[in-house]
């Protein structure tokens, strides 16, 4: 297990095994984003795609998700899925 200093959580956490996609952004994520933060992003991204009915081949959707990903990892305000209620906060689950 390799540890990296995670930009999102500001502490050493388990690293990804490989870059999630090619290029500079993929390498940045590999070197600065933990496995935990990446997994949380993937879950959030899925909610955004589903709720907003994003088409991944659309360049506007790709740009939106890229911007939201950076905000998420930099602990800036990012778009939330409006209908999502975490299980801990949802008394019906």
């Amino acid at each position: 297990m390799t540890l990296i200093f995670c930009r999102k959580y500001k502490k050493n956490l388990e690293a990804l095994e490989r870059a999630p996609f090619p290029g500079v952004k993929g390498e940045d994520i590999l070197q600065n984003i933990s496995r935990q933060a990446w997994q949380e992003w993937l879950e959030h991204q899925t909610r955004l795609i589903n709720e907003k009915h994003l088409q991944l081949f659309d360049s506007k959707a790709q740009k939106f998700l890229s911007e939201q990903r950076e905000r998420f990892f930099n602990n800036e305000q990012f778009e939330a899925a409006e209908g999502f209620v975490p299980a801990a906060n949802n008394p019906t689950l």
Side-chain angles (χ1 to χ4, degrees):
M1 174 175 72
T2 303
L3 295 179
I4 53 106
F5 186 79
C6 180
R7 181 167 70 221
K8 178 161 182 65
Y9 291 110
K10 309 289 188 228
K11 62 182 178 179
N12 289 322
L13 292 168
E14 186 177 352
L16 292 168
E17 291 180 20
R18 62 182 177 274
F21 37 82
V24 175
K25 291 207 184 262
E27 282 301 314
D28 178 55
I29 290 169
L30 178 64
Q31 295 173 13
N32 298 293
I33 300 301
S34 67
R35 177 186 301 271
Q36 175 187 345
W38 180 251
Q39 187 60 42
E40 289 172 6
W41 163 250
L42 290 178
E43 291 168 7
H44 183 69
Q45 175 181 251
T46 299
R47 287 190 295 271
L48 289 175
I49 291 167
N50 290 339
E51 184 173 288
K52 297 186 178 299
H53 306 285
L54 300 176
Q55 300 297 320
L56 296 180
F57 55 82
D58 179 9
S59 63
K60 289 179 184 177
Q62 292 170 9
K63 182 179 181 198
F64 170 77
L65 290 172
S66 179
E67 290 169 354
Q68 294 305 304
R69 183 181 62 238
E70 288 305 308
R71 290 173 175 265
F72 181 84
F73 290 143
N74 290 327
N75 295 310
E76 297 170 357
Q77 189 160 4
F78 57 89
E79 185 117 6
E82 295 168 18
F84 177 70
V85 178
N89 297 333
N90 188 342
T92 62
L93 295 180

